[in-house]
Amino acid sequence: MHTGINGEAGEEEADAQPEYSVDDAALIAVNDGPFKHHLDRYKYATRYDDVDPAQHRTAALDILRRLDERLSQSAYLRGETRGFADIAIFPFIRQFANADHDWFDAQ
């Protein structure tokens, strides 16, 4: 319970703080490791020597397809409840999509 503006006790929102799970940790590890590696080399290819941005785009897309498969089974990555991974991974997916909206939308 929390104290409201007028000092009255009230119930906290059930989904205000998603719980962190082992599954979240595994999903975030893939995002922060392989996905981020490929995202950077796709989006910022000129910063790296001898990279093929198309190869890295394809590798990143493969990772996103695995997430999409999970989301075809439930509303969120961990099931029917929004988890920490959903929130943590979203900005990276947005970056990937923003690199080439038309291509991303066609996938």
Side-chain angles (χ1 to χ4, degrees):
M1 294 198 5
H2 72 280
T3 304
I5 295 173
N6 61 5
E8 295 177 13
E11 295 295 319
E12 291 186 31
E13 292 183 30
D15 64 348
Q17 290 282 349
E19 292 182 23
Y20 188 77
S21 74
V22 172
D23 199 26
D24 285 318
L27 289 165
I28 292 169
V30 170
N31 180 77
D32 291 354
F35 182 76
K36 182 75 166 96
H37 171 86
H38 295 301
L39 171 63
D40 287 348
R41 282 152 185 81
Y42 163 53
K43 189 175 175 184
Y44 307 113
T46 58
R47 295 181 185 176
Y48 300 92
D49 293 328
D50 298 323
V51 299
D52 178 358
Q55 275 185 325
H56 289 284
R57 178 176 70 181
T58 299
L61 182 62
D62 289 343
I63 294 168
L64 291 184
R65 285 190 171 132
R66 291 193 300 262
L67 294 177
D68 194 46
E69 176 61 31
R70 288 178 76 116
L71 292 170
S72 73
Q73 305 298 315
S74 59
Y76 299 99
L77 293 171
R78 287 192 319 161
E80 297 306 317
T81 304
R82 181 183 64 216
F84 194 83
D86 295 288
I87 297 164
I89 294 172
F90 175 76
F92 295 94
I93 296 171
R94 186 189 72 228
Q95 284 183 42
F96 184 75
N98 284 340
D100 186 341
H101 277 287
D102 293 335
W103 176 87
F104 186 81
D105 289 345
Q107 300 313 300

